[in-house]
Amino acid sequence: MHPLRVENLSFSWGPHKTINEVSFSIEAGTVTSILGPNGSGKTTLLKLMLGFLKPLSGRVMLGDQDLASLDLTMRAKKMAYVPQRHSAVFAYRVLDVVTLGRVPYSNIFCRITDKDYQLAGECLDQLGIAHLAGRSYTEISGGEQQLVLIARALVQQAEILIMDEPVSGLDYGNQLMLLKQLRRLSQSGITCVKTTHYPEHALWTSDRAIFIRAGKILAAGNSTAIINPDNLKELYNADIRVLESDAGSHKMRTCVPVFD
């Protein structure tokens, strides 16, 4: 089952194509990581997948529906977006920030109901941050803020969660906390797609990985299969080893750069 398919997608900001004939499928209930160097087209690809940009050619399919045929409300009910970490201007309560995810379901006056607040509380609890509900969003940690944005996305009750470098700017502990939650979300049936600069994060949490460079896909497939020294060398022009070690009751792979 493929809830999201990208078919022959192309886009250009100028004379040269930023995204060039890109095609892939995302399976339901999985985590997919999109990796590539700066300027490779990762964020542009996400914006095309979300419908924020109009492609030169090709299309994005949500199940059997063309994304271009859906209005903004229908898109919001099918896909939720978590941007990179940002600084809030207003000191809204965490519960109010999360409840904003119910706007696609509200009436013409954008009235938020008691049921909306109840659902927001349940999503905070699902992510283990229910204790933050009454706190000011501007006063919690960066990792907690990112989890709040994910809770806001979950409140949309969309089946697909799309994230642009969700661990950007977070310390190591908060990165690990966030990655664990993404794994749990996929196990609950939510389809997760994220961009990342860290191939080891893809190894730890992702079922599939997509390598993109200069707007073209270099490799796509099972994370443990395609995240290897040869592909990493082609993607980043760097020598990187993939090592396996014991991690409690199971084995984990990680990436280690080679310094001469």
Side-chain angles (χ1 to χ4, degrees):
M1 180 180 178
H2 298 110
L4 191 151
R5 299 194 313 277
V6 170
E7 300 178 351
N8 302 316
L9 207 61
S10 293
F11 180 82
S12 176
W13 288 111
H16 303 292
K17 286 185 178 179
T18 309
I19 300 295
N20 192 354
E21 297 293 325
V22 166
S23 297
F24 57 85
S25 296
I26 304 294
E27 296 181 9
T30 60
V31 180
T32 298
S33 289
I34 301 174
L35 299 99
N38 290 334
S40 61
K42 300 189 301 298
T43 297
T44 299
L45 179 57
L46 283 196
K47 290 180 178 180
L48 289 165
M49 292 165 62
L50 289 159
F52 296 167
L53 296 174
K54 183 178 180 180
L56 283 176
S57 60
R59 62 180 183 172
V60 176
M61 298 293 294
L62 296 177
D64 59 357
Q65 295 179 298
D66 190 328
L67 177 67
S69 70
L70 303 177
D71 62 27
L72 292 177
T73 298
M74 287 302 300
R75 293 178 190 180
K77 291 179 179 180
K78 290 179 176 291
M79 291 191 298
Y81 174 54
V82 179
Q84 292 186 36
R85 181 185 170 196
H86 71 289
S87 299
V89 177
F90 301 106
Y92 292 118
R93 288 187 311 163
V94 163
L95 184 62
D96 293 322
V97 172
V98 174
T99 308
L100 289 173
R102 295 302 296 165
V103 169
Y105 298 90
S106 62
N107 58 30
I108 191 171
F109 301 106
C110 294
R111 182 174 178 270
I112 302 299
T113 67
D114 290 341
K115 288 185 177 180
D116 293 331
Y117 278 109
Q118 180 181 349
L119 180 58
E122 291 171 356
C123 289
L124 286 169
D125 186 57
Q126 181 181 350
L127 294 174
I129 53 173
H131 61 285
L132 299 177
R135 296 274 303 277
S136 168
Y137 179 78
T138 58
E139 295 176 356
I140 61 178
S141 73
E144 290 169 337
Q145 287 182 345
Q146 202 67 6
L147 287 175
V148 169
L149 294 181
I150 291 176
R152 184 181 67 181
L154 294 181
V155 164
Q156 290 180 221
Q157 296 184 312
E159 61 187 49
I160 302 171
L161 183 61
I162 296 182
M163 295 160 283
D164 191 8
E165 297 183 27
V167 302
S168 176
L170 301 185
D171 63 46
Y172 194 63
N174 280 319
Q175 288 181 21
L176 296 179
M177 175 178 64
L178 186 57
L179 292 173
K180 288 177 182 178
Q181 291 293 353
L182 294 184
R183 188 75 256 175
R184 290 172 185 155
L185 290 177
S186 72
Q187 291 169 350
S188 72
I190 295 174
T191 303
C192 301
V193 182
K194 63 182 176 72
T195 59
T196 180
H197 281 296
Y198 304 102
E200 61 270 24
H201 289 181
L203 283 170
W204 298 343
T205 64
S206 300
D207 303 286
R208 293 175 56 81
I210 297 170
F211 285 5
I212 183 171
R213 185 181 179 92
K216 295 182 179 180
I217 291 181
L218 296 183
N222 181 280
S223 294
T224 57
I226 72 165
I227 299 178
N228 58 59
D230 290 340
N231 284 340
L232 292 171
K233 175 71 172 180
E234 185 177 5
L235 186 66
Y236 296 114
N237 193 30
D239 294 318
I240 303 169
R241 293 178 182 173
V242 178
L243 305 181
E244 187 176 271
S245 61
D246 291 324
S249 60
H250 61 283
K251 292 184 179 296
M252 288 187 67
R253 292 185 176 186
T254 193
C255 297
V256 178
V258 177
F259 292 102
D260 295 328

